Protein backbone atom coordinates (compact mmCIF):
# COMPACT_ATOMS: atom_id res chain seq x y z
CA UNK A 1 0.00 0.00 0.00
CA UNK A 2 2.79 2.42 0.91
CA UNK A 3 4.65 1.74 -2.34
CA UNK A 4 1.56 2.61 -4.36
CA UNK A 5 0.99 5.77 -2.32
CA UNK A 6 4.59 6.95 -2.62
CA UNK A 7 4.85 6.27 -6.33
CA UNK A 8 1.58 8.04 -7.02
CA UNK A 9 2.72 10.97 -4.92
CA UNK A 10 5.91 11.06 -6.97
CA UNK A 11 3.61 11.49 -9.95
CA UNK A 12 2.20 14.73 -8.58
CA UNK A 13 4.69 17.02 -10.23
CA UNK A 14 4.91 20.56 -8.97
CA UNK A 15 7.93 22.03 -10.69
CA UNK A 16 7.74 25.52 -9.28
CA UNK A 17 10.20 28.37 -9.38
CA UNK A 18 12.49 28.68 -6.39
CA UNK A 19 11.57 31.32 -3.83
CA UNK A 20 12.93 34.71 -4.78
CA UNK A 21 13.45 33.61 -8.39
CA UNK A 22 10.07 34.02 -10.13
CA UNK A 23 9.58 32.75 -13.68
CA UNK A 24 7.02 33.86 -16.26
CA UNK A 25 5.85 30.31 -17.05
CA UNK A 26 4.54 27.73 -14.57
CA UNK A 27 3.40 24.17 -15.32
CA UNK A 28 1.90 21.72 -12.85
CA UNK A 29 0.24 18.31 -13.12
CA UNK A 30 -2.02 16.89 -10.42
CA UNK A 31 -2.71 13.17 -10.65
CA UNK A 32 -5.57 11.41 -8.83
CA UNK A 33 -4.82 8.48 -6.58
CA UNK A 34 -5.18 5.13 -8.31
CA UNK A 35 -8.33 4.28 -6.34
CA UNK A 36 -9.91 7.59 -7.42
CA UNK A 37 -9.06 7.45 -11.14
CA UNK A 38 -12.60 6.60 -12.15
CA UNK A 39 -14.02 9.55 -10.22
CA UNK A 40 -11.42 12.31 -10.38
CA UNK A 41 -9.65 13.61 -13.51
CA UNK A 42 -6.00 14.31 -14.08
CA UNK A 43 -5.43 18.07 -14.12
CA UNK A 44 -2.72 19.93 -16.01
CA UNK A 45 -2.31 23.65 -15.21
CA UNK A 46 -0.27 26.26 -17.06
CA UNK A 47 0.02 29.94 -16.17
CA UNK A 48 1.97 32.64 -18.00
CA UNK A 49 2.81 36.22 -17.03
CA UNK A 50 3.63 37.98 -20.27
CA UNK A 51 4.40 41.15 -18.31
CA UNK A 52 7.65 39.43 -17.28
CA UNK A 53 8.77 38.87 -20.89
CA UNK A 54 9.29 40.78 -24.13
CA UNK A 55 6.06 39.36 -25.49
CA UNK A 56 3.35 42.02 -25.87
CA UNK A 57 0.60 39.88 -27.42
CA UNK A 58 -0.28 36.28 -26.52
CA UNK A 59 -1.80 34.41 -29.45
CA UNK A 60 -2.27 30.98 -27.88
CA UNK A 61 -1.60 28.80 -24.84
CA UNK A 62 -1.32 25.05 -25.47
CA UNK A 63 -0.78 22.02 -23.23
CA UNK A 64 0.88 19.08 -24.99
CA UNK A 65 1.64 15.51 -23.99
CA UNK A 66 4.23 12.97 -25.16
CA UNK A 67 5.07 9.40 -24.19
CA UNK A 68 8.70 9.72 -25.25
CA UNK A 69 9.56 13.36 -24.53
CA UNK A 70 10.89 13.86 -28.06
CA UNK A 71 10.03 17.18 -29.69
CA UNK A 72 8.32 15.57 -32.67
CA UNK A 73 6.13 13.34 -30.49
CA UNK A 74 4.34 16.02 -28.47
CA UNK A 75 0.60 16.10 -29.20
CA UNK A 76 -1.63 19.07 -28.25
CA UNK A 77 -4.37 18.11 -25.80
CA UNK A 78 -5.74 21.55 -24.90
CA UNK A 79 -5.38 25.05 -26.31
CA UNK A 80 -6.91 28.49 -25.84
CA UNK A 81 -6.72 31.66 -27.91
CA UNK A 82 -7.94 35.22 -27.28
CA UNK A 83 -11.16 34.33 -29.14
CA UNK A 84 -11.67 30.88 -27.60
CA UNK A 85 -11.69 30.30 -23.84
CA UNK A 86 -11.88 26.51 -24.09
CA UNK A 87 -10.85 23.81 -26.52
CA UNK A 88 -10.30 20.19 -25.55
CA UNK A 89 -8.57 18.35 -28.37
CA UNK A 90 -9.32 14.82 -27.13
CA UNK A 91 -12.52 12.99 -26.28
CA UNK A 92 -13.44 12.99 -22.58
CA UNK A 93 -11.15 15.99 -22.10
CA UNK A 94 -12.27 19.41 -20.95
CA UNK A 95 -10.22 22.57 -21.20
CA UNK A 96 -10.73 26.11 -20.00
CA UNK A 97 -8.72 29.24 -19.47
CA UNK A 98 -8.24 32.87 -20.40
CA UNK A 99 -5.69 35.18 -21.97
CA UNK A 100 -4.93 38.44 -20.20
CA UNK A 101 -2.61 40.42 -22.46
CA UNK A 102 -1.48 42.72 -19.65
CA UNK A 103 -1.28 40.22 -16.81
CA UNK A 104 -1.56 36.50 -16.20
CA UNK A 105 -2.93 34.02 -18.74
CA UNK A 106 -3.86 30.45 -17.84
CA UNK A 107 -5.09 27.17 -19.26
CA UNK A 108 -6.23 23.99 -17.50
CA UNK A 109 -6.88 20.58 -19.04
CA UNK A 110 -8.80 17.83 -17.24
CA UNK A 111 -9.21 14.26 -18.42
CA UNK A 112 -9.29 10.68 -17.22
CA UNK A 113 -5.71 9.46 -17.13
CA UNK A 114 -5.07 6.48 -19.45
CA UNK A 115 -4.61 3.41 -17.25
CA UNK A 116 -1.92 1.84 -19.42
CA UNK A 117 1.07 1.92 -17.08
CA UNK A 118 2.97 4.50 -19.13
CA UNK A 119 4.49 7.80 -18.10
CA UNK A 120 4.05 11.02 -20.04
CA UNK A 121 5.90 14.27 -20.55
CA UNK A 122 3.81 17.44 -20.40
CA UNK A 123 4.67 20.72 -22.08
CA UNK A 124 3.11 24.16 -21.94
CA UNK A 125 3.71 26.25 -25.07
CA UNK A 126 2.98 29.99 -25.32
CA UNK A 127 3.14 31.71 -28.70
CA UNK A 128 2.78 35.39 -29.50
CA UNK A 129 4.52 38.52 -30.75
CA UNK A 130 6.61 41.34 -29.28
CA UNK A 131 6.12 45.07 -29.81
CA UNK A 132 8.02 44.91 -33.09
CA UNK A 133 5.71 42.20 -34.41
CA UNK A 134 8.33 39.46 -34.19
CA UNK A 135 7.21 35.93 -33.33
CA UNK A 136 8.11 34.77 -29.82
CA UNK A 137 7.40 31.62 -27.89
CA UNK A 138 8.05 30.19 -24.43
CA UNK A 139 7.72 26.61 -23.28
CA UNK A 140 8.22 24.46 -20.22
CA UNK A 141 8.33 20.67 -20.00
CA UNK A 142 8.00 18.36 -17.01
CA UNK A 143 8.20 14.59 -16.85
CA UNK A 144 5.56 12.49 -15.23
CA UNK A 145 7.03 10.12 -12.63
CA UNK A 146 5.17 6.86 -12.20
CA UNK A 147 5.49 3.10 -12.14
CA UNK A 148 5.76 1.57 -15.59
CA UNK A 149 6.43 -1.86 -17.02
CA UNK A 150 9.02 -0.34 -19.38
CA UNK A 151 10.70 1.61 -16.55
CA UNK A 152 10.17 4.90 -18.38
CA UNK A 153 10.84 7.00 -15.31
CA UNK A 154 13.13 9.93 -14.67
CA UNK A 155 13.83 8.73 -11.13
CA UNK A 156 14.47 5.00 -11.47
CA UNK A 157 17.09 5.08 -8.75
CA UNK A 158 14.66 6.48 -6.20
CA UNK A 159 11.97 4.00 -7.30
CA UNK A 160 14.32 1.09 -6.68
CA UNK A 161 15.16 2.40 -3.23
CA UNK A 162 11.48 2.91 -2.46
CA UNK A 163 10.85 -0.69 -3.52
CA UNK A 164 13.51 -2.00 -1.15
CA UNK A 165 12.36 0.18 1.73
CA UNK A 166 8.75 -0.78 1.15
CA UNK A 167 9.57 -4.51 1.28
CA UNK A 168 11.01 -3.94 4.74
CA UNK A 169 8.02 -1.85 5.76
CA UNK A 170 5.50 -4.49 4.69
CA UNK A 171 7.33 -7.06 6.83
CA UNK A 172 6.94 -4.91 9.89
CA UNK A 173 3.60 -3.24 10.58
CA UNK A 174 5.02 -0.92 13.22
CA UNK A 175 7.84 0.18 10.91
CA UNK A 176 5.32 1.12 8.26
CA UNK A 177 3.61 3.46 10.70
CA UNK A 178 6.92 5.14 11.53
CA UNK A 179 8.56 5.31 8.11
CA UNK A 180 5.57 5.77 5.81
CA UNK A 181 5.15 9.54 6.39
CA UNK A 182 8.88 10.05 5.84
CA UNK A 183 8.66 8.40 2.42
CA UNK A 184 5.78 10.65 1.48
CA UNK A 185 7.75 13.69 2.59
CA UNK A 186 10.74 12.47 0.55
CA UNK A 187 8.56 12.10 -2.54
CA UNK A 188 7.25 15.65 -2.11
CA UNK A 189 10.76 17.04 -1.77
CA UNK A 190 12.06 15.26 -4.83
CA UNK A 191 9.10 16.33 -6.96
CA UNK A 192 9.49 19.99 -5.96
CA UNK A 193 13.10 20.38 -7.20
CA UNK A 194 13.30 22.78 -10.13
CA UNK A 195 15.06 20.75 -12.83
CA UNK A 196 15.26 23.78 -15.10
CA UNK A 197 17.57 25.50 -12.60
CA UNK A 198 19.43 22.48 -11.21
CA UNK A 199 21.00 19.19 -12.29
CA UNK A 200 19.87 16.49 -9.83
CA UNK A 201 21.95 13.51 -8.68
CA UNK A 202 20.73 10.01 -8.00
CA UNK A 203 19.74 9.24 -4.40
CA UNK A 204 22.68 8.78 -2.02
CA UNK A 205 22.06 7.64 1.56
CA UNK A 206 18.65 9.30 1.80
CA UNK A 207 19.60 12.54 0.07
CA UNK A 208 20.19 14.06 -3.36
CA UNK A 209 22.60 16.72 -4.53
CA UNK A 210 21.69 19.52 -6.93
CA UNK A 211 24.13 21.63 -8.96
CA UNK A 212 23.26 24.97 -10.53
CA UNK A 213 23.23 24.81 -14.32
CA UNK A 214 24.69 28.30 -14.95
CA UNK A 215 28.28 29.42 -14.27
CA UNK A 216 28.41 32.61 -12.21
CA UNK A 217 30.74 34.44 -9.82
CA UNK A 218 30.43 32.62 -6.49
CA UNK A 219 28.78 34.35 -3.54
CA UNK A 220 28.72 32.00 -0.56
CA UNK A 221 26.01 33.94 1.30
CA UNK A 222 23.66 34.07 -1.70
CA UNK A 223 24.40 30.43 -2.51
CA UNK A 224 23.63 29.42 1.07
CA UNK A 225 20.25 31.17 0.94
CA UNK A 226 19.42 29.60 -2.44
CA UNK A 227 20.18 26.12 -1.10
CA UNK A 228 17.91 26.72 1.90
CA UNK A 229 15.13 27.88 -0.43
CA UNK A 230 15.62 24.67 -2.43
CA UNK A 231 15.04 22.59 0.71
CA UNK A 232 18.62 21.90 1.80
CA UNK A 233 21.97 23.60 2.42
CA UNK A 234 25.35 24.14 0.77
CA UNK A 235 26.85 20.67 0.65
CA UNK A 236 28.74 19.53 3.74
CA UNK A 237 31.16 16.76 2.77
CA UNK A 238 31.88 14.59 5.81
CA UNK A 239 33.86 11.62 4.48
CA UNK A 240 35.81 10.30 1.51
CA UNK A 241 32.89 8.24 0.19
CA UNK A 242 30.60 11.28 0.02
CA UNK A 243 33.38 13.37 -1.52
CA UNK A 244 33.86 10.82 -4.33
CA UNK A 245 30.11 10.68 -5.01
CA UNK A 246 29.66 14.47 -5.09
CA UNK A 247 32.87 14.94 -7.06
CA UNK A 248 31.84 12.43 -9.73
CA UNK A 249 28.39 14.02 -10.01
CA UNK A 250 29.88 17.51 -10.15
CA UNK A 251 32.24 16.46 -12.95
CA UNK A 252 29.19 15.82 -15.14
CA UNK A 253 27.84 19.30 -14.41
CA UNK A 254 30.99 21.41 -14.80
CA UNK A 255 34.66 21.90 -13.95
CA UNK A 256 34.39 24.32 -11.00
CA UNK A 257 31.85 23.17 -8.42
CA UNK A 258 31.79 25.10 -5.13
CA UNK A 259 30.90 23.45 -1.81
CA UNK A 260 30.04 25.09 1.52
CA UNK A 261 33.47 24.51 3.10
CA UNK A 262 35.48 27.68 3.81
CA UNK A 263 38.00 29.34 6.13
CA UNK A 264 36.66 32.88 5.74
CA UNK A 265 36.45 33.55 9.48
CA UNK A 266 39.69 31.89 10.63
CA UNK A 267 42.52 31.34 8.14
CA UNK A 268 43.46 27.66 7.93
CA UNK A 269 40.44 26.39 9.86
CA UNK A 270 37.99 25.11 7.25
CA UNK A 271 34.40 24.62 8.40
CA UNK A 272 31.05 23.77 6.81
CA UNK A 273 29.05 26.89 5.92
CA UNK A 274 25.70 25.83 7.40
CA UNK A 275 26.62 23.84 10.53
CA UNK A 276 30.00 25.55 11.20
CA UNK A 277 31.45 22.10 12.02
CA UNK A 278 35.11 21.48 11.12
CA UNK A 279 35.80 19.93 7.73
CA UNK A 280 37.78 16.65 7.80
CA UNK A 281 41.35 17.33 6.60
CA UNK A 282 41.59 13.92 4.92
CA UNK A 283 39.39 15.18 2.08
CA UNK A 284 42.08 17.39 0.51
CA UNK A 285 44.10 16.16 -2.45
CA UNK A 286 47.71 16.91 -3.24
CA UNK A 287 49.26 19.74 -1.23
CA UNK A 288 46.00 21.55 -0.70
CA UNK A 289 44.94 23.75 0.94
CA UNK A 290 47.56 25.99 -0.66
CA UNK A 291 46.01 29.44 -0.05
CA UNK A 292 47.86 30.71 -3.12
CA UNK A 293 47.08 33.92 -4.94
CA UNK A 294 46.69 37.53 -3.84
CA UNK A 295 45.02 38.61 -0.61
CA UNK A 296 42.68 37.42 0.83
CA UNK A 297 43.95 34.15 -0.69
CA UNK A 298 41.85 31.04 -1.26
CA UNK A 299 39.10 30.79 1.34
CA UNK A 300 36.49 28.71 -0.52
CA UNK A 301 36.49 25.10 -1.70
CA UNK A 302 35.65 23.23 -4.90
CA UNK A 303 35.14 19.47 -5.20
CA UNK A 304 36.61 16.86 -7.54
CA UNK A 305 36.30 13.07 -7.51
CA UNK A 306 39.92 12.89 -6.28
CA UNK A 307 39.54 15.41 -3.45
CA UNK A 308 38.97 19.03 -2.47
CA UNK A 309 40.85 22.15 -3.54
CA UNK A 310 40.83 25.63 -2.03
CA UNK A 311 40.16 28.50 -4.44
CA UNK A 312 39.28 32.17 -4.36
CA UNK A 313 35.75 32.93 -3.18
CA UNK A 314 35.49 35.33 -6.13
CA UNK A 315 36.01 32.63 -8.76
CA UNK A 316 33.39 31.74 -11.35
CA UNK A 317 31.61 28.39 -11.35
CA UNK A 318 28.59 26.46 -10.11
CA UNK A 319 27.68 25.32 -6.60
CA UNK A 320 26.15 22.19 -5.10
CA UNK A 321 23.37 21.91 -2.52
CA UNK A 322 22.65 18.89 -0.34
CA UNK A 323 18.93 18.00 -0.06
CA UNK A 324 17.99 15.51 2.69
CA UNK A 325 15.05 13.33 1.65
CA UNK A 326 14.66 10.89 4.56
Amino acid sequence: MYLRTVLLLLGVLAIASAQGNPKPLMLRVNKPLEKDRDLNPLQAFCTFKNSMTKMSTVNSLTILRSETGKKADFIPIATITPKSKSSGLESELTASGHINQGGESAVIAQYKEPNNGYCFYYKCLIEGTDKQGRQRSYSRTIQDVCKTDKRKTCCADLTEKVNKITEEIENNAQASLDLGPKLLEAANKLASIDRVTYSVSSVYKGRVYIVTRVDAFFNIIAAGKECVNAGGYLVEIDDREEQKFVGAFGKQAGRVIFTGENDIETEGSFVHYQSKKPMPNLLWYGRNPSNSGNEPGEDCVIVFAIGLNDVSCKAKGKFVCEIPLI
Side-chain angles (χ1 to χ4, degrees):
M1 179 180 70
Y2 277 100
L3 177 58
R4 183 182 301 116
T5 302
V6 172
L7 290 173
L8 287 171
L9 183 57
L10 283 172
V12 181
L13 291 178
I15 309 302
S17 61
Q19 294 180 14
N21 186 25
K23 294 181 174 60
L25 180 59
M26 301 282 289
L27 175 60
R28 186 173 78 250
V29 175
N30 288 346
K31 297 180 63 175
L33 296 176
E34 186 174 350
K35 64 183 180 65
D36 298 329
R37 275 183 175 177
D38 293 335
L39 299 175
N40 298 325
L42 178 144
Q43 298 176 322
F45 303 86
C46 179
T47 60
F48 177 66
K49 294 182 178 180
N50 52 315
S51 59
M52 299 175 63
T53 70
K54 294 182 179 180
M55 186 180 292
S56 61
T57 302
V58 180
N59 296 331
S60 65
L61 274 70
T62 304
I63 293 178
L64 307 94
R65 186 183 67 201
S66 167
E67 185 181 310
T68 65
K70 295 181 180 179
K71 183 177 180 180
D73 294 338
F74 274 99
I75 299 174
I77 60 173
T79 188
I80 61 167
T81 66
K83 296 181 180 181
S84 174
K85 294 185 177 180
S86 64
S87 177
L89 303 181
E90 288 188 355
S91 60
E92 298 187 6
L93 183 148
T94 60
S96 60
H98 66 277
I99 291 180
N100 181 352
Q101 300 291 2
E104 182 175 280
S105 302
V107 59
I108 175 174
Q110 301 184 83
Y111 68 99
K112 288 187 177 180
E113 181 187 14
N115 190 12
N116 59 5
Y118 285 86
C119 299
F120 292 97
Y121 293 77
Y122 290 87
K123 176 187 286 187
C124 186
L125 174 65
I126 286 77
E127 297 180 302
T129 57
D130 60 18
K131 292 181 179 180
Q132 286 72 41
R134 293 173 295 192
Q135 296 294 319
R136 289 190 177 272
S137 65
Y138 296 86
S139 67
R140 188 160 191 172
T141 302
I142 60 177
Q143 183 180 21
D144 191 1
V145 184
C146 59
K147 185 178 181 182
T148 161
D149 293 337
K150 293 186 177 181
R151 298 179 63 80
K152 290 183 179 177
T153 152
C154 71
C155 305
D157 185 71
L158 179 63
T159 302
E160 291 175 3
K161 289 185 177 292
V162 170
N163 280 331
K164 293 178 181 179
I165 294 173
T166 303
E167 288 177 4
E168 297 177 4
I169 291 174
E170 291 177 346
N171 291 332
N172 187 323
Q174 185 59 46
S176 71
L177 294 175
D178 296 337
L179 190 53
K182 294 182 180 180
L183 289 175
L184 299 182
E185 181 181 352
N188 271 328
K189 264 194 173 182
L190 187 66
S192 68
I193 296 173
D194 183 357
R195 286 169 173 77
V196 175
T197 305
Y198 306 103
S199 300
V200 185
S201 76
S202 57
V203 177
Y204 173 84
K205 294 185 178 181
R207 72 198 83 156
V208 294
Y209 301 87
I210 61 175
V211 172
T212 50
R213 292 185 181 274
V214 179
D215 283 316
F217 290 105
F218 186 56
N219 182 316
I220 195 168
I221 296 176
K225 290 180 180 179
E226 185 170 333
C227 287
V228 170
N229 288 338
Y233 43 85
L234 268 171
V235 64
E236 298 188 351
I237 300 178
D238 296 313
D239 53 50
R240 180 67 72 181
E241 185 180 1
E242 183 180 16
Q243 171 256 306
K244 289 181 179 179
F245 181 87
V246 176
F249 170 58
K251 183 179 180 180
Q252 301 172 13
R255 187 177 66 86
V256 179
I257 307 296
F258 283 92
T259 71
E261 284 71 38
N262 69 91
D263 68 341
I264 295 173
E265 293 189 4
T266 303
E267 181 61 40
S269 297
F270 283 84
V271 297
H272 299 313
Y273 177 78
Q274 186 74 17
S275 68
K276 306 302 181 185
K277 294 180 180 179
M279 185 201 86
N281 285 325
L282 59 86
L283 302 179
W284 298 106
Y285 81 87
R287 297 183 177 180
N288 292 297
S290 61
N291 198 39
S292 60
N294 299 324
E295 290 293 334
E298 298 179 322
D299 294 338
C300 289
V301 175
I302 59 176
V303 60
F304 298 100
I306 57 175
L308 302 182
N309 179 31
D310 58 328
V311 297
S312 168
C313 290
K314 297 180 180 180
K316 197 173 185 179
K318 303 173 182 178
F319 61 87
V320 57
C321 306
E322 185 172 340
I323 311 293
L325 295 177
I326 298 176

